[in-house]
Amino acid sequence: MANITKKVSWSSRADESGATAEGTPLLNGSEQPRPSRQLSGSGGIFQIGRLSTVDLEEEMTSEEESLRGRPKEIPHNEKLLSLKFESLDYDNIENQLFLEEERRMSYMGFRCLEISRWVVCGLIGFLTGLIACFIDIAVEQLAGYKYQVVKTNIEKFTEVGGLSISLILWAVLNSAIVMMGAIIVAFFEPIAAGSGIPQIKCYLNGVKIPRVVRLKTLVVKVCGVICSVVGGLAVGKEGPMIHSGAVVAAGVSQGRSTSLKRDFKIFEYFRRDTEKRDFVSAGAAAGVSAAFGAPVGGVLFSLEEGASFWNQMLTWRIFFASMISTFTLNFFLSIYNNNPGDLSNPGLINFGRFESGSVEYNLYEIPLFILMGAVGGLLGALFNKLNYWLTIFRIRYVHRPCLQVMEAMLVAAVTAAVSFTMIYFSNDCQPLGPEHKEEYPLQLFCADGEYNSMATAFFNTPERSVRSLFHTQPGTYNPWTLGLFTITYFFLACWTYGLAVSAGVFIPSLLIGAAWGRLFGILLASITPDGSIWADPGKYALIGAAAQLGGIVRMTLSLTVIMVEATGNVTYGLPIMLVLMTAKIVGDYFAEGLYDIHIKLQSVPFLHWERPPPLIG
Amino acid sequence: MSVRKNSSFLLFLVLISYALVSGDAVNVTASDSADTLTQSSSLNPAAAAVVLVNSPVFKKPDVDSPFSLNLLSSFPEDEEISVYCNDLLHIFGQRYVSYVNCSVNSARPVKVCQNCFSSYGSLTEIYLNISSDQMSPGNASCRESLLRSDRLMLVYLLYSNLKDIWSKSDCANCVTKGFQSLTNDTLYFMDSVNQTLTCFEKHKEGNHTELCKSCKSTYKGLNELYSRMETNKTMCIDIEDVMNVTRKLWSKSYNCSFPREETVPVIAVSSFMLFLPIIFYLSSFLHSEQKKRKLIHPKRARSYNTLMNIQDKLS
């Protein structure tokens, strides 16, 4: 046993040091070519290449021929593979030593191993839930504080004049907070940027992304996501939860931390890529489950996006981790909310309960839902295309850390400015319902007792806005508000994703979709002579949210289950599934999924399940 | 025994029993003796119809006549005990009517709490009497006989409807315990509302800007008082409604809300911020060095003539 452990840990450590050694000079731009590494790297990629389909090879050929005459230095594009990445060893090396070691294992040892697998999974779930809880509470407190400050300021200046000062205050606060988040990401751990889902997807599929499951990454990720959500960017905290869960899993299962340079001498048997992969998929599932309160969705996410290997016991363990994670989050949030034992806060995002009376749908609505799915696919493809161009520009021109930090700050300031302008010029005043008590209503120029309804959408954390779009009574938003909000938020979210801050794209997509979905519902009610059949725009907001999210990320099975679980309503299974299918089909016709685009742009040698379609012409 | 025969027999039984009981029963349900005759006559066919329709159900448990007769004889005895309860019910009805009358009359503008709290108090009192555990002089619990002896539970239903209205209106916040009087907070609030309204009245003629200026302090004080009460949760529907009306007067009729007059600075500042990223991107496009990737063709892959590798580094 000791033999094996030593061997495995040796190989893995060598890999890690290799990765860092390689990573650093790349960042600093050192000229050192590493012949040995180059050889091994090319070997790895060569292998991947040989496994790929004929079509891919053809594509590559044409690319190479076009490049043959040129100098070897080219601008970054999506058709490159980086040598930075190596492959993980998902096969046990069945040599003599290994077999002897396995044979020597006692009955008790075998059983203990089984038990410790469960213990590790439980720990993963528990810690992931704790992290989710921490993020949630921190965001709520800090954002609450920020909005309170801005709100009192705006109220003061509405009366005496000088609202442009409030605008500047809001923008400065936002940029300052985002700056902190961007600095830690850009200078300390660039891999923690973005949602982390593309990286985890690569990792689970056997591509070793350097430093992706380090403790340092986790810390940066958690602080970064808190900063970016509090800083008012158009982002969510759900995507990073998945990455966080994966890091927790990798750390706990290995019993050591490279960032801390500590080895706890536990779980040494698990120190190989196969075992680590299993735990990382459990961690990703736990992350999803904590983020959306969707344990089954988490398991299916691991299955759909990640794990290249799957069996019953593993599934069951992953489910266990997911359940523990959502339960932990639940429990600690109930203590935080002063009603310990009330387990009704299952996820970071809580869509709220859809009452069964208000959400019933009819057969004749199915075509409408499918139409909405198509719209979602189109908008998603547009989003992805825009983001693709933006990301290429960023990789080529905005690659220095200080520039990245500046960019993030600018985005934060512009987000604040745009939101403020929209709120300022909105004439849509609505009386405040009793369910709005905990938010930050802004009155501005509305009549007393009424509040600016653009502010309920913009002057709020995105999750709350989503919930308000799903659940407020018909008539709360007027169509112009919703239309303007959709357009602005669409471009803001598209611009924001890919910044050097850690932030997810789930919530912004849901928000965009919920806004145009609600708009759709309102328009339906207004064009039909008796509007009562289409009475509930919240239903269309939900469908729109699903369509938009499906159009952007192109997940299918797991997203359906996540949405169903997050709304707590199984009757929506069919429409959500149809909508996601349509969105994926329509979207795939125009552009790839956002995560796949980002995987490509990072030059990761990632092999898809399906061969790419034959090129046209 | 055919269905028809059985049903007609039952109809007969019920008619007899109704005639026997009606003396008591009608007194219980409809207290005004003037109505007794018309009610009983109007109820009779209805009862018969019900029995006719339901006759298969009656038949089902295979009831034989002696059992029915027993039931018949036991009916009046049960009701006889509840003379006391009958009185209670009578009072309940009277108070119920007076409370409903009162609330309907003060529905718009809402003054249900101010006007009707005492009648609601007396209604609760009598209902508590009915539903209390203590035995009536006849040694029967009125709670059983009045509240729970049938499916409809009419008395309970009626009362709980009113109770719902009461709790929805939050009147309990404005009324002292024991329904003695309105709370001091409420009285004080109403007083300041009156002040504001008289101020409005005084300056109503002519230019509204005058009104906005001179009533601002009173109105503002009222607003602050209201928001204090809102946070303390000492509000009831009366206060909310009167505040709503005042606010509407202030901001819609007299147009005293804040005007939107700083459009230019806001546009200037936000367009300045919108320009910043354009400058940023332009400058980084023009001045920042473009990141170049170095291509590497791996030796082994060349034999396939299909693959390439790229050494990832800065130029």
Side-chain angles (χ1 to χ4, degrees):
Chain A
M1 172 107 186
N3 241 341
I4 289 289
T5 321
K6 206 171 170 189
K7 182 187 178 307
V8 169
S9 78
W10 172 80
S11 74
S12 130
R13 193 173 303 146
D15 277 2
E16 305 228 327
S17 64
T20 41
E22 195 175 48
T24 342
L26 276 176
L27 278 176
N28 297 337
S30 147
E31 287 293 329
Q32 280 290 326
R34 289 159 200 281
S36 64
R37 189 139 297 111
Q38 182 188 335
L39 200 70
S40 74
S42 65
I45 288 165
F46 164 73
Q47 210 172 7
I48 291 167
R50 195 171 54 181
L51 287 171
S52 71
T53 60
V54 184
D55 282 296
L56 184 65
E57 285 179 5
E58 271 174 10
E59 187 187 323
M60 287 304 202
T61 320
S62 63
E63 175 67 15
E64 197 196 20
E65 271 165 0
S66 70
L67 285 171
R68 191 156 283 166
R70 281 193 226 163
K72 283 198 168 179
E73 293 214 336
I74 56 158
H76 187 88
N77 66 40
E78 59 165 357
K79 288 178 178 156
L80 305 175
L81 298 183
S82 170
L83 266 189
K84 192 166 71 174
F85 304 107
E86 300 189 12
S87 70
L88 292 161
D89 273 337
Y90 283 167
D91 278 331
N92 285 324
I93 306 158
E94 300 223 355
N95 54 13
Q96 202 61 39
L97 265 175
F98 177 78
L99 291 179
E100 261 175 38
E101 197 59 46
E102 291 282 298
R103 222 172 277 138
R104 215 177 294 152
M105 189 185 289
S106 65
Y107 178 78
M108 274 312 287
F110 187 75
R111 287 285 158 213
C112 282
L113 211 59
E114 265 306 291
I115 291 169
S116 54
R117 280 202 182 101
W118 282 95
V119 171
V120 169
C121 279
L123 270 177
I124 290 168
F126 181 72
L127 291 175
T128 310
L130 271 189
I131 288 173
C133 187
F134 170 71
I135 292 179
D136 196 41
I137 292 174
V139 165
E140 199 177 318
Q141 291 292 337
L142 293 175
Y145 184 70
K146 187 192 88 176
Y147 284 122
Q148 207 56 50
V149 167
V150 178
K151 188 186 159 191
T152 43
N153 191 282
I154 288 180
E155 272 166 4
K156 199 173 90 194
F157 284 116
T158 317
E159 212 176 319
V160 300
L163 271 175
S164 45
I165 298 175
S166 322
L167 163 59
I168 293 171
L169 174 81
W170 190 3
V172 167
L173 265 181
N174 270 7
S175 327
I177 299 168
V178 168
M179 184 181 75
M180 288 193 288
I183 283 178
I184 52 174
V185 171
F187 286 99
F188 295 106
E189 197 53 274
I191 201 78
S195 74
I197 294 177
Q199 285 91 335
I200 293 305
K201 191 173 170 179
C202 294
Y203 185 91
L204 289 176
N205 280 291
V207 183
K208 185 181 181 66
I209 313 269
R211 302 190 314 284
V212 75
V213 287
R214 293 281 175 82
L215 183 66
K216 190 172 149 200
T217 315
L218 175 68
V219 173
V220 170
K221 191 115 209 166
V222 169
C223 297
V225 77
I226 291 173
C227 286
S228 47
V229 176
V230 173
L233 291 176
V235 296
K237 52 194 194 269
E238 277 65 22
M241 263 324 294
I242 296 162
H243 192 172
S244 309
V247 181
V248 166
V252 169
S253 65
Q254 304 300 293
R256 65 175 176 189
S257 159
T258 324
S259 297
L260 293 179
K261 301 196 171 54
R262 282 284 297 275
D263 191 340
F264 297 99
K265 308 270 181 212
I266 44 169
F267 305 134
E268 283 173 331
Y269 183 83
F270 300 144
R271 292 182 186 176
R272 50 177 135 166
D273 288 340
T274 331
E275 297 280 351
K276 199 171 171 184
R277 173 198 59 193
D278 292 354
F279 288 118
V280 169
S281 42
V288 175
S289 139
F292 296 97
V296 182
V299 175
L300 293 176
F301 174 84
S302 277
L303 170 67
E304 186 179 338
E305 290 293 314
S308 41
F309 169 79
W310 203 251
N311 72 14
Q312 290 96 324
M313 271 326 273
L314 178 65
T315 319
W316 187 223
R317 267 203 305 275
I318 291 178
F319 185 67
F320 174 70
S322 303
M323 247 345 170
I324 294 285
S325 147
T326 180
F327 174 79
T328 310
L329 175 68
N330 224 319
F331 182 70
F332 284 100
L333 278 187
S334 74
I335 291 177
Y336 170 70
N337 292 329
N338 277 332
N339 37 3
D342 169 31
L343 302 181
S344 57
N345 293 307
L348 283 188
I349 176 161
N350 189 349
F351 288 167
R353 294 280 164 254
F354 280 82
E355 298 305 327
S356 49
S358 67
V359 294
E360 55 204 20
Y361 59 96
N362 228 314
L363 189 63
Y364 55 77
E365 290 182 87
I366 297 280
L368 287 175
F369 291 156
I370 290 176
L371 180 73
M372 289 177 79
V375 173
L378 280 178
L379 285 179
L382 179 66
F383 186 99
N384 292 357
K385 264 281 178 272
L386 290 178
N387 195 265
Y388 166 74
W389 289 325
L390 194 59
T391 312
I392 288 225
F393 181 84
R394 276 179 181 146
I395 291 175
R396 287 187 189 168
Y397 295 103
V398 194
H399 48 81
R400 266 191 252 129
C402 48
L403 282 181
Q404 288 174 341
V405 172
M406 265 174 69
E407 192 192 10
M409 286 171 66
L410 282 176
V411 174
V414 168
T415 308
V418 168
S419 315
F420 190 90
T421 320
M422 302 292 271
I423 294 173
Y424 185 88
F425 287 105
S426 159
N427 279 326
D428 185 7
C429 294
Q430 304 287 351
L432 198 65
E435 72 269 23
H436 282 264
K437 284 279 187 278
E438 85 255 87
E439 293 167 22
Y440 321 100
L442 279 182
Q443 186 186 348
L444 281 173
F445 312 112
C446 289
D448 284 1
E450 293 191 343
Y451 294 89
N452 191 311
S453 77
M454 193 64 103
T456 51
F458 269 122
F459 196 65
N460 223 329
T461 50
E463 280 107 79
R464 289 235 173 110
S465 309
V466 173
R467 216 180 313 165
S468 120
L469 283 172
F470 283 169
H471 289 293
T472 46
Q473 296 98 350
T476 310
Y477 295 94
N478 83 28
W480 283 109
T481 309
L482 283 176
L484 266 178
F485 177 77
T486 309
I487 294 171
T488 348
Y489 214 81
F490 183 86
F491 289 111
L492 279 179
C494 187
W495 187 23
T496 309
Y497 190 77
L499 283 179
V501 293
S502 55
V505 76
F506 270 84
I507 295 296
S509 331
L510 285 175
L511 194 48
I512 297 165
W516 65 253
R518 200 173 169 107
L519 180 66
F520 186 77
I522 293 173
L523 291 184
L524 266 186
S526 66
I527 55 170
T528 44
D530 89 32
S532 60
I533 337 168
W534 324 96
D536 193 32
K539 175 169 62 180
Y540 293 96
L542 175 69
I543 297 296
Q548 184 66 58
L549 186 53
I552 290 176
V553 302
R554 308 286 162 73
M555 283 151 56
T556 47
L557 170 64
S558 55
L559 196 54
T560 311
V561 177
I562 286 172
M563 292 294 286
V564 166
E565 278 185 294
T567 51
N569 198 323
V570 187
T571 46
Y572 270 116
L574 178 75
I576 289 178
M577 183 189 76
L578 289 175
V579 158
L580 289 175
M581 277 167 100
T582 329
K584 185 171 164 62
I585 291 169
V586 173
D588 278 345
Y589 190 77
F590 295 103
E592 271 185 298
L594 189 64
Y595 297 143
D596 294 327
I597 287 177
H598 277 261
I599 287 173
K600 261 192 181 172
L601 285 178
Q602 285 165 10
S603 310
V604 180
F606 181 85
L607 203 60
H608 289 277
W609 286 107
E610 303 283 335
R611 61 162 220 182
L615 295 175
I616 304 162
Chain B
M1 180 156 60
S2 76
V3 173
R4 177 166 286 275
K5 192 182 162 194
N6 189 28
S7 65
S8 61
F9 175 65
L10 275 171
L11 172 63
F12 173 69
L13 269 183
V14 168
L15 279 176
I16 290 177
S17 75
Y18 196 82
L20 281 175
V21 174
S22 62
D24 282 337
V26 175
N27 265 347
V28 170
T29 47
S31 43
D32 301 306
S33 54
D35 287 345
T36 317
L37 254 171
T38 52
Q39 277 217 337
S40 65
S41 61
S42 71
L43 275 176
N44 257 334
V50 166
V51 171
L52 267 177
V53 170
N54 285 346
S55 56
V57 180
F58 268 79
K59 187 196 164 192
K60 226 183 199 168
D62 214 20
V63 198
D64 48 1
S65 48
F67 183 74
S68 303
L69 280 172
N70 270 343
L71 201 78
L72 179 77
S73 59
S74 69
F75 237 99
E77 259 171 48
D78 272 354
E79 294 299 320
E80 224 170 292
I81 312 161
S82 59
V83 177
Y84 169 75
C85 299
N86 197 11
D87 288 345
L88 283 184
L89 193 64
H90 186 69
I91 302 170
F92 177 81
Q94 279 172 342
R95 291 185 178 177
Y96 195 93
V97 168
S98 77
Y99 175 66
V100 169
N101 251 334
C102 173
S103 357
V104 169
N105 286 332
S106 41
R108 233 20 268 181
V110 188
K111 283 189 169 142
V112 276
C113 302
Q114 295 165 69
N115 294 346
C116 311
F117 68 90
S118 56
S119 57
Y120 183 77
S122 48
L123 179 71
T124 339
E125 189 192 11
I126 192 73
Y127 184 80
L128 279 180
N129 263 346
I130 291 174
S131 63
S132 68
D133 258 339
Q134 68 179 32
M135 293 294 167
S136 65
N139 211 11
S141 150
C142 290
R143 185 162 70 160
E144 290 299 320
S145 62
L146 293 183
L147 298 184
R148 297 190 183 168
S149 40
D150 54 277
R151 178 168 66 85
L152 191 58
M153 303 198 289
L154 190 61
V155 175
Y156 168 77
L157 203 63
L158 287 171
Y159 178 73
S160 67
N161 280 343
L162 286 195
K163 206 176 154 190
D164 274 357
I165 294 176
W166 181 259
S167 63
K168 240 183 220 164
S169 65
D170 281 332
C171 283
N173 289 335
C174 293
V175 178
T176 52
K177 285 229 170 85
F179 305 100
Q180 298 297 321
S181 62
L182 293 171
T183 56
N184 290 338
D185 284 350
T186 317
L187 293 173
Y188 180 68
F189 181 83
M190 289 303 168
D191 200 42
S192 36
V193 168
N194 282 337
Q195 272 177 27
T196 319
L197 290 179
T198 37
C199 179
F200 285 179
E201 203 65 31
K202 209 163 50 183
H203 300 276
K204 208 163 81 179
E205 271 78 45
N207 203 350
H208 283 163
T209 43
E210 188 59 35
L211 182 144
C212 293
K213 227 177 258 170
S214 42
C215 298
K216 192 171 182 185
S217 58
T218 20
Y219 177 74
K220 219 176 151 194
L222 181 72
N223 238 340
E224 270 160 22
L225 178 65
Y226 181 77
S227 52
R228 257 208 310 282
M229 289 175 86
E230 201 173 16
T231 43
N232 290 347
K233 306 223 159 121
T234 51
M235 286 202 307
C236 53
I237 184 71
D238 290 19
I239 292 180
E240 287 167 34
D241 183 67
V242 81
M243 191 68 212
N244 263 346
V245 173
T246 322
R247 278 176 166 175
K248 252 182 213 151
L249 276 179
W250 173 260
S251 29
K252 299 237 164 103
S253 309
Y254 304 133
N255 247 336
C256 296
S257 347
F258 302 114
R260 180 180 301 163
E261 53 194 10
E262 308 166 60
T263 314
V264 177
V266 168
I267 289 183
V269 172
S270 46
S271 44
F272 169 70
M273 285 191 181
L274 284 176
F275 262 107
L276 283 181
I278 298 175
I279 295 167
F280 172 81
Y281 282 122
L282 267 183
S283 70
S284 55
F285 178 70
L286 295 175
H287 299 298
S288 175
E289 233 173 308
Q290 187 173 357
K291 196 173 195 171
K292 291 276 175 29
R293 307 285 178 186
K294 201 169 176 188
L295 274 178
I296 289 179
H297 296 276
K299 287 178 199 124
R300 287 168 70 192
R302 188 163 291 161
S303 61
Y304 284 84
N305 205 17
T306 56
L307 288 163
M308 70 186 118
N309 275 310
I310 293 90
Q311 175 70 49
D312 182 13
K313 67 172 55 171
L314 285 168
S315 54

